[in-house]
């Protein structure tokens, strides 16, 4: 989602020790440290690795194998072909009375060796099977014989009842693409947006790069791909996120929304109690690995590494580089209300507090009349400040108010009890949704702790929202947690008739602990500067949210098209109508088919997409010609998306090459130019991953409305979208108010118009368009010049 903004500002002339222009560490040292970090992560997960490392076998399979060997010996058979006797000879001789014990130990050792060899064979076989990506290239709705055979073999080797991390050892590593292919794909992607002269210059730089630097840089990446878990992901986290010095607010963090049309209870404390309880239930399942791994096609597992840092995680600012601090456990949440901070315990000696007990604690905070201390109210604005400013201020804060700071940074997550309502209102639905999105993305600049892995926001009317820090994971992971939370707190935990959490209060519980901050005078100026910058950034952010309900995923499926590609082509048409020209378009795609994979960029503004858009704007072009061009554009987009998912994208490879060139002090003008590009349109689809949790047919209003992120470029747009059920698509658009070139509401109108125009290329879509606009048949057939029904 928001990683495009960070990638644009990426300046890789840095090493892991924080030195800037003077680079003392070699690229080999960087590769060594990447591998070291990978192995440290594996060692820290030793126990989980032990439990899941034997998958698809199980510890019981060892007992079965040992028992079978003992039974064979009882029947005077030797399945080891003499190896057990060899092992027995190597064991110490403890005397005649222990002869039988030596035999049992020898059999156990042989069973363990055989069991380990079988597990290793299963892992290797499964990894080889999971390295096959031919299924991605299959036409929609069709499956070749090799793919059917592959699916059957994966089913055989995958085992049963996998845990969250069961497949981690079997996932293949992300491949390093051919540098020639990457450069060719890059040149193809920029051709539609460059003039002939600019393209010739870029092509010349590319050829020079291939001739002079590419082979050396590629060699180092190949070396890293063999040594580290992933050749790009750790550098992506470090250089794009943790070394960024920009404010996290709007620039990096993103938000997730509540149900759009319903609020299960208007009682703020009750909604907070159920939501916090549901989140901690999710954490409990996460710790026990009871969350099922995500499977594509119900069979192909995705990497689960990002789940590890959902809870108990804080991004700690540094002068040159931030770092992620993750605790194994935390038994409290930090709460902000009316400028005051509280520590709320989440567990009693008997276990997790009930939703009603948590509601009681939150209500005590809401009823607390004590005022905020001077400057305490705006303290959290420091987390929205540029990272260097916050890092310097945090050093002072830690020395004077270390206990309070630790209570916030060491919390499971942060909770903000807002004093204002939010969400859709009947009086002004459009403005209320826009205000809701803005409150989640930016708030007031001082009422979120942006460093926490996520902040749960509970508004005064019971509406919920989430503000998520981006460096630790990508949107699908936090989205998975959010879907579970909404479904659990609403459908499983539920509320009483009067809107309170079910159960009884626990009056004997200690009251929430008020945190006290000793704020020295020299930090007051930092808070004032941070608050001023946060308010300026917040005031300059224009958010627009609208549900498009004329058609949805079901209509697109009936057209036998990819729903994501359909939307992407409509966005190209809408943006062209808004700005009058084409631009580089960033669409986020996941690479979690590989171990520790994160994202890749799909460059959606293709030559085929531009041809389609020009045809739509040309009155001389017939509908059948436009439809043919549209299908070509969709097919091209699908090819790019599948290439990105299978590790054959463009941008992460070029990014890693750029990092190596900087570490080697090697001038590469082509790579410098690539990473100076501006993404004026950044897009992302919010996936719905757990459809079994929501009954969209009987309860269509109880569906998450997705989330959004800030604009990538000062003169660009950020657009995300989610398919709510079968017949609604919700769009989240952001831009800068200070730009004279962008307007979120204007683009929203163009998007709705473009969707209807594209749909009208199909016979069923023509009826939808007439029904929306109330036009006569002849006028409805005219795609160009119709007013948007926004």
């Amino acid at each position: 989602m928001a990683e495009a903004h960070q990638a644009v500002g990426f300046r890789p002339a840095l090493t892991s020790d924080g030195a800037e222009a003077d680079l003392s560490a070699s690229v080999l040292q960087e590769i060594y440290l990447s591998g070291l970090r990978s192995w440290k992560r594996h060692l820290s997960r030793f126990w989980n690795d032990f439990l899941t490392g034997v998958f698809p076998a199980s510890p019981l399979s060892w007992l079965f194998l040992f028992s079978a060997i003992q039974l064979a010996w009882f029947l005077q058979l030797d399945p080891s072909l003499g190896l057990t006797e060899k092992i027995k000879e190597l064991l110490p001789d403890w005397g005649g009375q222990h002869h039988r014990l030596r035999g049992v130990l020898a059999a156990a050792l042989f069973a363990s060796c055989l069991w380990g060899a079988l597990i290793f064979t299963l892992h290797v076989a499964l990894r080889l099977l999971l390295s096959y990506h031919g299924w991605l290239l299959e036409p929609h709705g069709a499956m070749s014989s090799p793919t059917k055979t592959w699916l059957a073999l994966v089913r055989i080797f995958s085992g049963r009842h996998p845990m969250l991390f069961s497949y981690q050892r079997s996932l293949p590593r992300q491949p390093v693409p051919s540098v020639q292919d990457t450069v060719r794909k890059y040149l193809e992607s920029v051709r539609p947006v460059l003039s002939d002269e600019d393209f010739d210059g870029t092509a010349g730089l590319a050829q020079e790069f291939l001739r002079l630097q590419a082979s050396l840089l590629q060699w180092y990446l190949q070396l890293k791909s063999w040594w580290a878990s992933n050749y790009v992901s750790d550098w992506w986290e470090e250089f794009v996120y943790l070394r960024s010095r920009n404010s996290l607010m709007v620039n990096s963090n993103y938000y997730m929304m509540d149900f759009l049309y319903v609020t299960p209870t208007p009682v703020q404390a009750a909604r907070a109690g159920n939501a916090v309880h549901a989140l901690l239930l999710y954490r409990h399942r996460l710790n026990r690995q009871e969350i099922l791994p995500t499977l594509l096609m119900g069979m192909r597992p995705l990497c689960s590494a990002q789940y590890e840092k959902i809870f108990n995680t804080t991004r700690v600012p540094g002068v040159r580089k931030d770092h992620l601090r993750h605790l194994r456990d935390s038994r409290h949440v930090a709460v902000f209300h009316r400028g005051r901070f509280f520590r709320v315990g989440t567990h009693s000696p008997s276990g997790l507090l009930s939703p009603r007990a948590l509601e009681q604690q939150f209500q005590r905070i809401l009823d607390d009349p004590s005022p905020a201390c001077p400057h305490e109210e705006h303290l959290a604005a420091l987390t929205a400040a540029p990272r260097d400013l916050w890092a310097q201020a945090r050093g002072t804060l830690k020395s004077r108010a270390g206990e309070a700071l630790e209570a916030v940074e060491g919390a499971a997550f942060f909770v903000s009890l807002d004093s204002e309502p939010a969400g859709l209102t009947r009086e002004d639905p459009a403005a209320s949704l826009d205000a809701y999105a803005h409150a989640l993305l930016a708030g007031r600049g001082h009422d979120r702790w942006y460093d926490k892995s996520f902040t749960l926001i509970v508004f005064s009317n019971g509406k919920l929202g989430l503000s998520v820090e981006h460096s630790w994971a990508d949107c699908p992971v936090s989205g998975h947690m959010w879907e579970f939370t909404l479904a659990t707190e609403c459908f499983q935990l539920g509320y009483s008739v009067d809107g309170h959490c079910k159960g009884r209060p626990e009056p004997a519980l200690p009251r929430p602990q008020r945190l006290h901050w000793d704020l020295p005078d020299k930090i007051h100026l930092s808070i004032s500067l941070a608050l001023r910058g946060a308010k300026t950034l917040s005031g300059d952010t224009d958010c627009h949210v609208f549900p498009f309900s004329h058609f949805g995923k079901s209509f697109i499926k009936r057209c036998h098209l990819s729903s994501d590609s359909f939307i992407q082509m409509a966005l190209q048409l809408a943006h062209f109508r808004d700005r009058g020209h084409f631009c580089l378009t960033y669409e986020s795609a996941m690479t979690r088919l590989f171990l520790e994979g994160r994202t890749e960029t799909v460059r959606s503004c293709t030559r085929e997409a531009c041809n389609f858009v020009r045809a739509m704007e040309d009155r001389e072009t017939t509908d059948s010609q436009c439809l043919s061009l549209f299908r070509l554009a969709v097919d091209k987009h699908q090819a790019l998306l599948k290439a990105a998912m299978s590790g054959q994208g463009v941008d992460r490879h070029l990014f890693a090459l750029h990092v190596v060139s900087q570490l080697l002090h090697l001038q590469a003008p082509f790579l410098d130019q690539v990473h100076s590009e501006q993404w004026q349109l950044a897009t992302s689809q919010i996936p719905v991953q757990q459809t079994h949790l929501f009954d969209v047919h009987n309860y269509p209003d109880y569906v998450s409305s997705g989330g959004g992120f800030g604009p990538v470029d000062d003169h660009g747009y950020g657009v995300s979208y989610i398919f709510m059920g079968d017949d609604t698509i919700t769009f989240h658009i952001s831009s800068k108010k200070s730009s004279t070139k962008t307007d979120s509401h204007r683009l929203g109108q163009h998007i709705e118009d473009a969707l209807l125009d594209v749909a009208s290329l199909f016979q069923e879509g023509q009826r939808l368009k007439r029904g929306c606009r109330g036009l006569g048949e002849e006028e409805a057939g005219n795609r160009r010049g119709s007013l948007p029904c926004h």
Side-chain angles (χ1 to χ4, degrees):
M1 295 176 73
E3 75 258 10
H5 188 285
Q6 303 300 99
V8 169
F10 156 64
R11 294 294 180 268
L14 298 163
T15 61
S16 291
D17 61 4
E20 294 190 18
D22 182 17
L23 297 175
S24 57
S26 69
V27 66
L28 287 174
Q29 183 180 0
E30 285 294 324
I31 293 172
Y32 166 75
L33 292 173
S34 294
L36 194 61
R37 287 191 290 267
S38 298
W39 286 106
K40 283 182 177 179
R41 283 194 296 271
H42 292 319
L43 290 174
S44 68
R45 299 196 300 256
F46 176 78
W47 180 243
N48 281 342
D49 280 350
F50 173 77
L51 293 177
T52 61
V54 298
F55 188 85
S58 69
L60 285 178
S61 63
W62 178 89
L63 183 61
F64 174 80
L65 186 62
F66 174 71
S67 301
I69 293 173
Q70 289 293 91
L71 179 61
W73 272 101
F74 179 76
L75 298 174
Q76 297 184 344
L77 300 174
D78 185 7
S80 70
L81 303 178
L83 288 177
T84 304
E85 287 296 329
K86 294 284 186 182
I87 295 173
K88 188 188 299 185
E89 293 175 3
L90 296 175
L91 293 175
D93 188 358
W94 296 302
Q97 66 272 25
H98 296 294
H99 179 75
R100 185 174 180 82
L101 176 61
R102 291 176 65 202
V104 172
L105 286 176
L109 287 172
F110 173 74
S112 299
C113 293
L114 181 59
W115 185 63
L118 291 173
I119 290 172
F120 177 77
T121 302
L122 287 173
H123 282 169
V124 171
L126 188 55
R127 183 176 298 161
L128 290 173
L129 286 170
L130 297 182
S131 299
Y132 170 75
H133 298 119
W135 58 276
L136 269 175
L137 306 178
E138 301 281 357
H140 185 69
M143 188 178 295
S144 65
S145 296
T147 297
K148 290 179 181 178
T149 304
W150 170 78
L151 275 175
L153 290 172
V154 169
R155 185 176 289 110
I156 292 171
F157 284 94
S158 289
R160 297 185 300 169
H161 310 300
M163 301 170 71
L164 178 62
F165 299 111
S166 291
Y167 293 109
Q168 291 301 100
R169 287 181 176 271
S170 300
L171 290 173
R173 299 191 181 192
Q174 186 167 339
V176 181
S178 160
V179 68
Q180 289 80 10
D181 286 347
T182 296
V183 170
R184 176 183 56 79
K185 292 175 182 178
Y186 170 79
L187 292 175
E188 181 183 340
S189 74
V190 298
R191 187 64 189 95
V193 300
L194 293 180
S195 65
D196 292 342
E197 182 180 355
D198 289 341
F199 179 77
D200 290 341
T202 301
L205 290 177
Q207 293 305 316
E208 179 185 3
F209 169 72
L210 290 174
R211 189 176 67 256
L212 298 179
Q213 300 105 6
S215 58
L216 176 63
L217 303 182
Q218 182 79 349
W219 183 86
Y220 280 108
L221 284 190
Q222 293 284 5
L223 179 64
K224 185 187 177 186
S225 72
W226 281 97
W227 171 242
S229 299
N230 191 290
Y231 85 91
V232 66
S233 290
D234 64 324
W235 282 350
W236 184 255
E237 176 183 296
E238 177 177 348
F239 291 108
V240 171
Y241 290 114
L242 300 181
R243 290 195 183 276
S244 171
R245 302 293 84 195
N246 295 325
S247 166
L248 299 185
M249 186 183 82
V250 178
N251 296 320
S252 179
N253 287 26
Y254 57 93
Y255 67 86
M256 307 291 289
M257 273 190 173
D258 195 359
F259 301 125
L260 192 61
Y261 298 110
V262 295
T263 305
T265 177
V267 182
Q268 184 179 19
R271 195 81 197 279
N274 261 9
V276 169
H277 187 84
L279 284 165
L280 294 174
L281 286 177
Y282 187 88
R283 186 180 71 168
H284 178 71
R285 295 186 63 188
L286 179 64
N287 291 338
R288 294 172 60 89
Q289 296 194 45
E290 294 174 352
I291 297 170
L292 295 177
T294 303
L295 303 176
L296 293 185
M297 302 173 59
M299 192 61 60
R300 177 57 167 91
L302 301 183
C303 180
S304 301
Q306 296 180 42
Y307 284 87
E308 295 180 344
K309 295 179 181 177
I310 294 181
F311 297 95
N312 325 325
T313 299
T314 297
R315 177 170 170 172
V316 179
V319 175
R320 296 187 180 94
K321 172 191 170 185
D322 297 353
H323 72 272
L324 292 175
R325 180 191 177 208
H326 174 70
L327 304 179
R328 283 192 168 272
D329 193 22
S330 176
R331 298 202 159 218
H332 74 277
V333 294
V335 182
F336 180 88
H337 175 60
R338 288 197 298 110
R340 304 159 304 162
F341 293 83
F342 296 85
R343 183 187 187 278
V344 176
T346 56
H347 291 71
S348 66
S350 59
L352 177 62
L353 292 181
S354 68
R356 189 68 180 89
L358 288 168
E359 177 191 347
Q360 168 191 287
Q361 297 296 75
F362 291 127
Q363 191 61 53
R364 285 173 170 176
I365 293 175
L366 294 172
D367 295 339
D368 188 335
S370 61
C373 297
H375 297 283
E376 179 189 15
E377 178 181 3
H378 300 141
L379 176 64
L382 288 170
T383 65
R387 305 305 288 173
D388 289 342
L389 172 63
W390 171 213
Q392 294 171 2
R394 183 181 176 277
T396 303
L397 192 63
K398 187 176 182 180
S399 63
R400 298 292 294 269
E403 185 177 347
L405 182 63
E406 176 60 26
V408 173
E409 294 186 342
F413 51 90
F414 195 77
V415 180
S416 179
L417 299 176
D418 276 26
S419 303
E420 301 293 331
L424 183 68
T425 63
R426 292 184 178 181
E427 295 76 19
D428 193 347
S432 61
L433 275 182
D434 296 348
Y436 181 24
H438 188 275
L440 294 176
L441 182 62
R444 291 179 292 171
H446 62 83
D447 49 359
R448 318 278 184 255
W449 198 271
Y450 291 102
D451 289 353
K452 288 301 293 180
S453 54
F454 66 90
T455 295
L456 174 68
I457 303 162
V458 189
F459 295 94
S460 63
N461 61 346
K463 211 67 179 174
L464 289 180
L466 214 62
S467 174
V468 187
E469 201 279 311
H470 207 324
S471 64
W472 59 273
D474 301 305
C475 177
V477 174
S478 55
H480 189 279
M481 174 195 71
W482 190 234
E483 289 174 4
F484 175 91
T485 301
L486 291 179
T488 301
E489 66 93 15
C490 183
F491 303 133
Q492 295 186 24
L493 301 177
Y495 299 90
S496 60
V497 177
D498 58 358
H500 291 282
C501 296
K502 295 178 180 178
R504 296 181 179 180
E506 299 180 26
L509 279 177
R511 298 183 66 85
Q513 177 189 349
R514 173 77 184 274
L515 301 182
H516 298 284
W517 305 85
D518 180 11
L519 303 177
D521 292 339
K522 67 178 182 178
I523 208 173
H524 295 173
L525 177 60
S526 297
I527 294 175
S528 298
L529 290 173
L531 181 63
R532 187 184 311 152
K535 285 187 173 180
T536 300
L537 182 56
S538 175
D540 192 32
T541 302
D542 183 27
C543 294
H544 181 45
V545 179
F546 72 94
F548 178 86
S549 55
H550 303 300
F551 63 83
K553 183 168 56 178
S554 61
F555 165 76
I556 301 174
K557 284 186 175 180
R558 289 196 297 272
C559 297
H560 304 289
L561 295 168
S562 160
S563 53
D564 181 65
S565 297
F566 187 101
I567 300 300
Q568 285 292 324
M569 295 307 104
L571 289 177
Q572 289 299 316
L573 178 58
H575 185 271
F576 184 83
R577 289 174 175 175
D578 182 80
R579 298 292 296 274
H581 62 82
F582 298 106
C583 71
L584 284 176
T585 303
Y586 187 110
E587 182 190 4
S588 180
M590 65 88 183
T591 55
R592 288 170 59 207
L593 292 171
F594 306 102
L595 182 62
E596 296 184 11
R598 291 199 61 162
T599 62
E600 177 58 276
T601 305
V602 178
R603 293 174 169 244
S604 302
C605 184
T606 61
R607 180 183 59 186
E608 291 79 1
C610 295
N611 291 339
F612 160 69
V613 169
R614 292 191 185 98
M616 288 292 287
E617 296 301 277
D618 180 6
R619 293 179 180 272
E620 301 300 321
T621 310
T622 65
D623 281 358
S624 61
Q625 291 173 320
C626 288
L627 181 57
S628 297
L629 292 172
F630 178 70
R631 291 190 181 280
L632 289 174
V634 165
D635 290 343
K636 179 63 176 181
H637 178 265
Q638 276 291 289
L640 292 177
L641 177 61
K642 292 173 180 179
M645 291 176 61
S646 59
Q648 299 300 315
V650 171
D651 288 87
R652 297 304 175 270
H653 187 202
L654 292 176
F655 160 80
L657 290 169
H658 197 197
V659 171
V660 175
S661 72
Q662 294 295 309
L663 295 173
L664 291 174
H665 305 274
L666 193 63
Q667 294 297 318
F670 170 69
L671 295 177
D672 292 338
Q673 177 172 312
V674 169
H675 288 92
S676 66
E677 294 173 337
Q678 299 298 312
W679 302 93
Q680 293 186 3
L681 180 59
T683 67
S684 178
Q685 180 187 167
I686 310 296
V688 179
Q689 304 168 78
Q690 302 170 90
T691 53
H692 63 280
L693 297 179
F694 304 94
D695 187 351
V696 296
H697 298 291
N698 296 321
Y699 302 98
D701 292 340
Y702 288 86
V703 181
S704 171
S705 49
F709 55 96
V712 169
D713 184 71
D714 287 342
H715 300 289
Y717 292 105
V719 181
S720 68
Y721 48 95
I722 184 172
F723 292 94
M724 296 173 56
D726 290 332
D727 301 307
T728 302
I729 312 167
T730 299
F731 289 87
H732 300 252
I733 307 170
S734 65
S735 61
K736 293 290 184 69
K737 293 179 181 178
S738 58
S739 174
T740 59
K741 300 178 181 179
T742 57
D743 185 310
S744 296
H745 293 74
R746 186 181 70 210
L747 181 64
Q749 293 174 351
H750 285 306
I751 289 174
E752 186 156 7
D753 192 36
L755 286 169
L756 290 167
D757 286 348
V758 173
S760 71
L761 298 176
F762 302 86
Q763 186 173 359
E764 182 181 350
Q766 293 174 2
R767 294 194 297 270
L768 290 168
K769 185 173 178 179
R770 287 196 296 269
C772 169
R773 294 176 176 167
L775 301 175
E777 183 173 350
E778 179 179 350
E779 190 175 1
N782 181 6
R783 298 186 312 274
R784 279 71 73 176
S786 299
L787 295 174
C789 76
H790 189 68

